[in-house]
Every structure is written in structure tokens, then in C-alpha cells.
């Protein structure tokens, strides 16, 4: 498809389990972002990848959260030992590089995580 | 300190009237971009409008315009001729070059358009 693709769209898991969320950005977009949105809240920045540069991990809330981006394309966000407070929608977005501060983010439809 | 402030958690507007959604920002970077996104109840994030810090004119996109007041560090979104389909959450966001082009979002304003 032409847009940002995220999977799964919905994930229900038990507390303490690990989960992996996948993001496939728009082809050619070198910048990739992960955000978390709790119910009725704003977007909380988690991590940002730009090309081959070291990612900006400053938003990851704890060491249970990690993300990688393979081959400059697909990214996986992993949450280990999930807690109930991890329940949220996880949004992935991508954008073109080389546009300075311009260039909007294109968002996927999100992965809704529910931790029981 | 909050980089993006949206002081209106909720707003109501009558259909066909104009509405202004407030956004103020905080940066010392001379080069930055300001964005507005719409998030309807379906959850998708829809890009509306962009304003660059060096742009001389206010941005406009159809019924959307951005009232950019650089000295006051405000970037208010104006929606003209509101429609029922405009009911949604609206997020103001900023990208600063000096912060690795990180995109920071405000807390959002929920707009309800009344028939």
C-alpha cells in the first residue's frame, strides 16, 4: 500500500507478557517516529529514527521499551513484561528527509494495545 | 516546560461559523515548523496545514488558515464555515531543527460543531 502500515491493529495481552508492534513506513521515507496515545490524551513521543543515524530514544518511558529499524525501513517496537499502564494506541509515522523543518508526518492507523 | 500549549481542552462552534483554536509554542531555535493535525473519532491523524518560521505570509489551505504571530509565539488555527465533519481533536505540533527534527505535539483541543 501507499500509506504507513501498522500491525497488529489490535492486541490484547496479559500482564507480564512481551509484545511486538510493527510499522512499515511509506517507501522512501527515511524518518520514522513512534508515539503513544492514551485514551483521550495527546501524543507522547517515544522514539525517532533518521536514516542510519543513532535513534533518538529520549521518549522511551522505561527500559522495558525498545525499538529497532531494520534496513532503514520496517520498525518494530517491543514492550517487555507489559503492565496495565502500557495500554494505549501506539502510532507510527514517517516523513521524507531533506526538507528541513517542513515535511509533514504521515501516520499509520495505530496499534491498540490492551494489557489485562 | 511545555513546548506546545493548547489552552482550550474543548470548544463548541455553531455550524457555518468560524472558530479559532489556540496554540502557543516555546523555542529558542530560529528555524522551526508548525503543523496542525486533525484526529476524528476514527483515530486517524490527518495533516491540515504547515507554517515555517521564516514564512512571511500566513498559511492557508482551503477552509483552514494559520494565524502566525511570531513575536508572540502563537500559531492559531482558524477554521472558516465550520461543518459537522470538523468535529474532532485538533493537535498543534512543532519541529525544531536543533532538536534532531523531533516532532512535539500539544495536548489537543476537542472541537464540537453544533447543528
Amino acid at each position: 500500500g501507499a500509506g504507513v502500515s501498522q500491525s497488529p491493529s489490535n492486541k490484547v495481552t496479559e500482564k507480564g507478557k512481551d509484545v511486538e508492534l510493527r510499522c512499515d513506513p511509506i517507501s522512501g521515507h527515511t524518518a520514522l517516529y513512534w508515539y503513544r496515545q492514551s485514551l483521550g490524551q495527546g501524543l507522547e513521543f517515544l522514539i525517532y529514527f533518521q536514516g542510519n543515524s543513532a535513534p533518538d530514544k529520549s521518549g522511551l518511558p522505561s527500559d522495558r521499551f525498545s525499538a529497532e529499524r531494520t534496513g532503514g525501513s520496517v520498525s518494530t517496537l517491543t514492550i517487555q513484561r507489559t503492565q496495565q499502564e502500557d495500554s494505549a494506541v501506539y502510532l507510527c509515522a514517517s516523513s521524507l528527509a531533506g526538507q528541513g523543518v517542513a515535511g509533514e508526518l504521515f501516520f499509520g492507523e495505530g496499534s491498540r494495545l490492551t494489557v489485562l | 516546560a511545555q513546548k506546545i500549549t493548547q489552552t482550550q481542552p474543548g470548544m463548541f462552534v455553531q455550524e457555518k461559523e468560524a472558530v479559532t483554536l489556540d496554540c502557543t509554542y516555546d523555542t529558542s531555535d530560529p528555524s522551526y515548523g508548525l503543523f496542525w493535525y486533525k484526529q476524528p473519532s476514527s483515530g486517524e491523524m490527518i495533516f491540515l496545514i504547515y507554517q515555517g518560521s521564516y514564512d512571511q505570509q500566513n498559511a492557508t489551505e482551503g477552509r483552514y488558515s494559520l494565524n502566525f504571530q511570531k513575536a508572540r509565539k502563537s500559531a492559531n488555527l482558524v477554521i472558516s464555515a465550520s461543518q459537522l465533519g470538523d468535529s474532532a481533536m485538533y493537535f498543534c505540533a512543532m519541529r525544531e531543527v536543533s532538536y534532531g527534527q523531533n516532532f512535539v505535539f500539544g495536548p489537543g483541543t476537542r472541537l464540537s460543531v453544533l447543528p
Side-chain angles (χ1 to χ4, degrees):
Chain A
V4 177
S5 178
Q6 291 189 246
S7 61
S9 55
N10 275 288
K11 176 72 176 179
V12 180
T13 191
E14 293 180 347
K15 178 182 173 181
K17 301 282 189 183
D18 297 351
V19 296
E20 285 189 350
L21 307 176
R22 175 190 167 103
C23 173
D24 197 347
I26 293 172
S27 178
H29 282 194
T30 58
L32 186 148
Y33 302 73
W34 282 99
Y35 292 88
R36 178 169 71 175
Q37 187 176 29
S38 300
L39 188 62
Q41 302 298 309
L43 278 70
E44 176 189 4
F45 166 74
L46 297 178
I47 189 168
Y48 160 62
F49 295 90
Q50 174 57 59
N52 295 320
S53 302
D56 176 357
K57 304 179 181 180
S58 60
L60 294 178
S62 76
D63 58 8
R64 296 187 297 104
F65 288 73
S66 63
E68 63 177 20
R69 189 177 185 191
T70 54
S73 181
V74 172
S75 176
T76 302
L77 177 69
T78 301
I79 309 173
Q80 296 179 309
R81 305 180 303 280
T82 52
Q83 304 293 313
Q84 288 182 331
E85 60 262 30
D86 299 335
S87 296
V89 175
Y90 290 80
L91 291 165
C92 176
S94 70
S95 73
L96 285 169
Q99 295 181 291
V101 293
E104 71 268 29
L105 296 186
F106 293 81
F107 282 84
E109 295 190 352
S111 291
R112 181 178 299 277
L113 174 66
T114 303
V115 182
L116 301 176
Chain B
Q2 292 287 334
K3 289 255 182 190
I4 300 285
T5 302
Q6 294 180 255
T7 58
Q8 307 151 315
M11 288 279 288
F12 291 89
V13 65
Q14 209 67 38
E15 193 178 8
K16 299 180 184 177
E17 295 195 345
V19 63
T20 298
L21 306 183
D22 293 343
C23 173
T24 57
Y25 57 92
D26 181 26
T27 182
S28 56
D29 196 328
S31 179
Y32 54 90
L34 298 158
F35 302 76
W36 278 91
Y37 281 82
K38 172 184 178 181
Q39 187 179 44
S41 57
S42 58
E44 63 193 300
M45 291 286 286
I46 302 167
F47 165 72
L48 297 178
I49 196 166
Y50 162 79
Q51 179 85 43
S53 59
Y54 292 119
D55 292 344
Q56 295 297 312
Q57 293 189 327
N58 287 342
T60 61
E61 288 287 349
R63 294 187 299 111
Y64 304 108
S65 61
L66 202 152
N67 184 1
F68 181 46
Q69 297 187 44
K70 193 170 182 177
R72 300 177 66 176
K73 293 187 177 178
S74 75
N76 299 339
L77 177 70
V78 180
I79 306 174
S80 62
S82 297
Q83 302 172 357
L84 295 178
D86 294 335
S87 293
M89 282 289 286
Y90 287 82
F91 293 99
C92 180
M94 177 172 65
R95 173 189 258 156
E96 303 164 279
V97 169
S98 61
Y99 282 87
Q101 302 207 7
N102 191 359
F103 237 91
V104 177
F105 285 80
T109 294
R110 181 171 297 282
L111 177 67
S112 298
V113 181
L114 305 174

